[in-house]
Amino acid sequence: GQQLNQSPQSMFIQEGEDVSMNCTSSSIFNTWLWYKQEPGEGPVLLIALYKAGELTSNGRLTAQFGITRKDSFLNISASIPSDVGIYFCAGQLFGNEKLTFGTGTRLTIIP
Amino acid sequence: NAGVMQNPRHLVRRRGQEARLRCSPMKGHSHVYWYRQLPEEGLKFMVYLQKENIIDESGMPKERFSAEFPKEGPSILRIQQVVRGDSAAYFCASSHRDRGGSPLHFGNGTRLTVT
């Protein structure tokens, strides 16, 4: 089946630093989504990408849908304490709404 | 809060008992998805339902697990004769379109513990 590999698995950064994480797939997707999950809660949608090459921002977050449709990255600028959590990428195919999730990137901010 | 509602938030069952997990989708959403998450892992797809129909159950274990989304009422994920390996967080998501490009919105999950 399809697999999504995220890197890095974990990040330890200082407040104010920029963050970059990416996601690669063995096959193409039509839609890429980025979610954030905090302890004890469900994933919350951050950004949705619908076209190859698309670059989309949501506040301090920026994500891009790779040209090959097999990868995506998420950047967070000027990190703040509330950015702590696990970030998941997810891919979706037309005609099949189910999402395939990546392995997650755990973000920790060092005081 | 018009989000996806799941209950109970926490469920403890002894081995051999049945677990019933409920999910009410967001208002206006007619598509429901169930995912399972083990500690420190990503979410794994289980089943995709529309009202009164199972669209894709490729992620459901062949035995003991079933799901429904009746015309009226919430979607139910049912696990019969639970075993310790069923302990996990079960998340429900909903969307409003039956074509690609409709993001899924998740509930806060039900954490099942089998003792």
Side-chain angles (χ1 to χ4, degrees), chain A residues 17-37:
Chain A
E17 286 187 27
D18 295 343
V19 172
S20 184
M21 60 189 78
N22 64 64
C23 189
T24 58
S25 169
S26 56
S27 54
I28 65 171
F29 286 103
N30 300 115
T31 301
W32 282 88
L33 303 156
W34 285 92
Y35 287 85
K36 178 189 176 189
Q37 186 177 28

Side-chain angles (χ1 to χ4, degrees), chain B:
Chain B
N1 186 346
V4 178
M5 303 300 294
Q6 289 188 249
N7 67 83
R9 286 296 303 272
H10 300 274
L11 182 61
V12 179
R13 285 287 179 265
R14 291 181 181 165
R15 278 181 301 169
Q17 291 184 320
E18 178 180 290
R20 291 172 70 89
L21 288 61
R22 297 175 194 79
C23 169
S24 295
M26 285 180 69
K27 187 175 182 181
H29 287 191
S30 57
H31 304 257
V32 165
Y33 314 77
W34 286 94
Y35 284 79
R36 176 163 64 179
Q37 185 178 37
L38 295 171
E40 305 301 317
E41 294 189 9
L43 284 79
K44 304 292 186 198
F45 169 78
M46 298 182 74
V47 62
Y48 164 29
L49 310 104
Q50 294 179 26
K51 287 282 187 182
E52 300 184 283
N53 282 310
I54 296 176
I55 305 303
D56 182 345
E57 56 181 348
S58 57
M60 286 278 270
K62 298 297 181 199
E63 298 177 348
R64 301 187 298 109
F65 284 71
S66 62
E68 62 176 8
F69 188 17
K71 188 175 181 181
E72 301 291 337
S75 174
I76 306 287
L77 178 66
R78 183 180 176 209
I79 312 172
Q80 296 177 287
Q81 299 174 325
V82 295
V83 301
R84 288 220 172 100
D86 297 333
S87 295
Y90 292 83
F91 290 96
C92 171
S94 70
S95 69
H96 65 84
R97 285 167 53 183
D98 59 355
R99 298 175 60 190
S102 178
L104 275 60
H105 297 268
F106 286 82
N108 280 329
T110 293
R111 278 142 191 87
L112 172 65
T113 302
V114 179
T115 61

Side-chain angles (χ1 to χ4, degrees), chain A residues 75-86:
Chain A
N75 289 339
I76 306 173
S77 62
S79 58
I80 60 177
S82 61
D83 290 334
V84 165
I86 303 177

Side-chain angles (χ1 to χ4, degrees), chain A residues 50-67:
Chain A
Y50 300 105
K51 287 184 183 178
E54 179 181 356
L55 184 71
T56 297
S57 292
N58 178 7
R60 292 178 298 105
L61 278 60
T62 302
Q64 184 158 31
F65 191 154
I67 290 290

